[in-house]
Amino acid sequence: MDATADGPTTPEPTDDLVTTSHTLTVRKRKLAYTATTGRLVLRKEVVTDGTFDGHLPKAEVFVTAYTLDGADPATRPVTFAFNGGPGSSSIWLHLGVFGPRRVVCGDAGQLAPPPYGLVDNQETLLTHSDLVFIDPVSTGFSRAVKGEKPADHHGFQADLESVGEVIRLWTTRHGRWVSPKFLAGESYGTTRAGGLAQHLQSRHGMYLNGLILISSVLDFATLNFVEGNDLPYPLYLPTYAAIAHHHGLHGDRPLAEVLAEAEEFATRDYPWALNQGARLSAEDRAATVARIAALSGLSEDYVDRVDMRIEHTRFFVELLRDRRQTVGRLDGRFTGWAADYGVETLREDPSMSAIMGAYTAGINHYLHTELAYRKDLPYEVLSLSVNRDWSFKEFENAHVTVADKLAAVMRANPHLKIHVASGHTDGATPYFATEHTLAHLAVPAELRENIEVVYYPAGHMMYVHEPSRVQQSKDIAEFVKRASNR
């Protein structure tokens, strides 16, 4: 500790990484790997009035990295993974689908009871890629350093800079600049991934092999239910249809048939009807109301009363109101109960409630006990304060989008491959909205071949559905192998 005439000063923050060794047997192959977990100190070159003040600490960012022992860094891929929110830690991708250990939480209608548990992940991406999970500032154990404002890190560009610096530091310190490199994001993490790909490429000259986008939101205009923006209503309709189908409101019709009808209607007749406004004839309005009601599972009276515009948090409480049940926003396969069945919007998401306990118990046990990282700080799984305070000042007077940034990255790096995963019952980032955004990317036809899109019969965290988890793990493993170019 340094001292001055006024007394002792705060010690300089330092990395507090902990390293442990592990083995995992996957299909008779024994994987020996090293886990490194702890906080990296991020520093920034500070210049005040033209004078260099130093390379000053700004934040301590928590990471958990897994590296395969004895692998050749020139050929071994590395995947940097994070979730979204904004305000979410990386817990979901870490313990849900990618990491060497995974949470056992059950699924819709078959939830595991507390105290839950962890098991080896036989489908871990570690078989094919080293993994680095990043918790953005104020999530997990990540914090601003003493004297710094946490809010300075809670914004679109500031977040790109801090997460990007973690990636640059880790890559440099571990000699991985020539390794195949991937970003994997979920939800707002896909927004971050799109922006990060451009930031890393333009700021640090780091060209990536691939992006793994799970439950994507690249253009917020497709999701924002605000007056004057009719775009989300048709784009959500196929998801409403999928959720209604799951709950038996489409009889014995195959899901594929229902979705095909909903997508065709959402592409042509539905947007046309909304665009007509007062010019829409009574006959055409009645026909449109009937189609929306039949596909969404709602009554014609309700669809007519909301002027053919079904806001998603209203849908989740209206669909099964006659059963005294609500459906999940993150995953419409889940159902729950409300204190008041006259409410108009969803207040508690039963799909989030269903999985929060298992993942929270899992990460706290795992980090403290198995990875030997012992901190008295609370592990912030989801920071609602970060979400509330998040700044999109870079998009003042415009909607938030990184579609232009992703397209620019693809045009500059024609070898970049994109894997997009969507769940049919995801009511947070609906799959048809993702399709709309991808269809409007400003890239030439030949680069569209670099984008692959896969679908799963589950929701936002599709991997809580066991068949989807197994298939998704296989799909991503194959993508990483193809895109590594080695």
Side-chain angles (χ1 to χ4, degrees):
M1 178 180 293
D2 296 329
T4 68
D6 297 324
T9 59
T10 303
E12 186 85 351
T14 58
D15 298 350
D16 63 357
L17 302 173
V18 177
T19 299
T20 52
S21 298
H22 307 265
T23 58
L24 173 66
T25 301
V26 177
R27 290 182 291 279
K28 298 183 179 180
R29 177 189 173 188
K30 187 175 183 180
L31 302 178
Y33 65 94
T34 297
T36 303
T37 190
R39 302 199 293 183
L40 297 176
V41 178
L42 298 190
R43 298 174 181 273
K44 186 174 182 179
E45 297 180 37
V46 178
V47 177
T48 305
D49 295 330
T51 301
F52 182 62
D53 287 338
H55 203 208
L56 304 182
K58 294 295 181 180
E60 297 172 285
V61 176
F62 187 73
V63 301
T64 302
Y66 302 98
T67 54
L68 191 68
D69 295 348
D72 181 0
T75 58
R76 175 74 172 167
V78 56
T79 301
F80 299 93
F82 33 77
N83 279 86
S88 176
S89 65
S90 61
I91 182 175
W92 316 104
L93 291 179
H94 189 173
L95 296 185
V97 64
F98 285 163
R101 297 277 279 167
R102 63 179 180 88
V103 164
V104 177
C105 68
D107 193 12
Q110 297 178 319
L111 293 176
Y116 313 110
L118 291 169
V119 297
D120 286 343
N121 183 5
Q122 295 295 307
E123 293 76 30
T124 176
L125 188 58
L126 181 61
T127 304
H128 307 282
S129 172
D130 289 343
L131 303 169
V132 182
F133 295 95
I134 303 171
D135 292 342
V137 178
S138 300
T139 73
F141 289 130
S142 300
R143 300 292 189 271
V145 300
K146 184 176 180 179
E148 293 294 316
K149 296 178 180 179
D152 287 347
H153 302 275
H154 302 164
F156 175 79
Q157 186 61 36
D159 174 73
L160 296 185
E161 291 172 0
S162 61
V163 175
E165 181 63 1
V166 172
I167 294 171
R168 186 196 69 82
L169 274 178
W170 194 94
T171 300
T172 301
R173 290 177 179 180
H174 292 82
R176 303 303 293 270
W177 274 89
V178 297
S179 300
K181 290 177 285 296
F182 296 82
L183 302 183
E186 179 179 288
S187 195
Y188 183 81
T190 64
T191 313
R192 179 184 290 123
L196 260 180
Q198 186 187 54
H199 174 76
L200 291 171
Q201 188 167 292
S202 61
R203 173 65 181 85
H204 299 300
M206 183 182 290
Y207 281 54
L208 302 169
N209 288 73
L211 302 181
I212 301 166
L213 307 179
I214 300 173
S215 303
S216 296
V217 51
L218 301 175
D219 186 340
F220 279 65
T222 63
L223 307 186
N224 286 344
F225 291 92
V226 294
E227 187 173 352
N229 180 28
D230 280 340
L231 186 58
Y233 300 104
L235 297 181
Y236 267 79
L237 184 62
T239 293
Y240 296 159
I243 295 172
H245 182 276
H246 178 81
H247 294 290
L249 301 179
H250 283 287
D252 58 359
R253 294 185 66 192
L255 176 61
E257 179 182 300
V258 172
L259 294 183
E261 180 184 348
E263 291 170 12
E264 181 181 8
F265 182 65
T267 301
R268 295 179 180 274
D269 294 348
Y270 192 2
W272 174 83
L274 295 180
N275 287 337
Q276 292 304 299
R279 297 169 296 181
L280 189 67
S281 69
E283 182 181 1
D284 284 337
R285 179 184 175 91
T288 302
V289 166
R291 288 289 302 281
I292 296 172
L295 288 165
S296 67
L298 303 175
S299 70
E300 291 187 25
D301 176 65
Y302 180 83
V303 174
D304 186 56
R305 283 189 284 116
V306 299
D307 196 25
M308 303 182 293
R309 292 166 172 84
I310 305 167
E311 200 278 337
H312 68 323
T313 61
R314 301 178 78 179
F315 172 83
F316 304 137
V317 297
E318 185 66 28
L319 182 68
L320 302 182
R321 191 184 294 275
D322 61 341
R323 302 182 191 178
R324 297 294 191 270
Q325 289 182 314
T326 61
V327 300
R329 172 178 175 265
L330 293 176
D331 193 331
R333 298 177 305 122
F334 288 80
T335 59
W337 301 279
D340 177 359
Y341 293 101
V343 297
E344 284 297 311
T345 60
L346 189 69
R347 295 177 179 175
E348 299 173 353
D349 183 352
S351 51
M352 175 54 77
S353 299
I355 63 177
M356 177 63 87
Y359 277 81
T360 303
I363 197 70
N364 279 283
H365 166 79
Y366 182 55
L367 294 178
H368 287 259
T369 305
E370 298 189 21
L371 298 190
Y373 185 80
R374 298 181 176 93
K375 278 285 183 185
D376 289 337
L377 280 173
Y379 185 90
E380 297 290 348
V381 173
L382 286 172
S383 175
L384 297 180
S385 62
V386 171
N387 190 277
R388 286 194 300 268
D389 297 340
W390 197 260
S391 170
F392 284 117
K393 64 182 180 181
E394 296 83 4
F395 299 93
E396 188 174 359
N397 297 322
H399 69 268
V400 177
T401 181
V402 295
D404 56 337
K405 295 174 173 57
L406 178 58
V409 169
M410 293 180 68
R411 294 193 303 267
N413 177 12
H415 299 289
L416 181 71
K417 302 297 193 296
I418 315 291
H419 172 92
V420 182
S422 293
H424 284 140
T425 56
D426 177 4
T429 57
Y431 79 91
F432 207 53
T434 298
E435 285 192 20
H436 174 89
T437 302
L438 294 177
H440 289 79
L441 282 180
V443 296
E446 54 265 37
L447 289 185
R448 293 192 175 278
E449 298 176 0
N450 290 353
I451 304 173
E452 66 177 31
V453 184
V454 291
Y455 303 91
Y456 302 95
H460 200 65
M461 290 90 155
M462 61 281 291
Y463 40 82
V464 303
H465 176 242
E466 183 65 7
S468 294
R469 183 189 69 80
V470 173
Q471 184 60 49
Q472 182 175 35
S473 298
K474 180 180 178 181
D475 293 340
I476 292 175
E478 291 298 321
F479 170 76
V480 168
K481 287 190 289 185
R482 288 195 308 271
S484 292
N485 299 321
R486 299 291 170 86

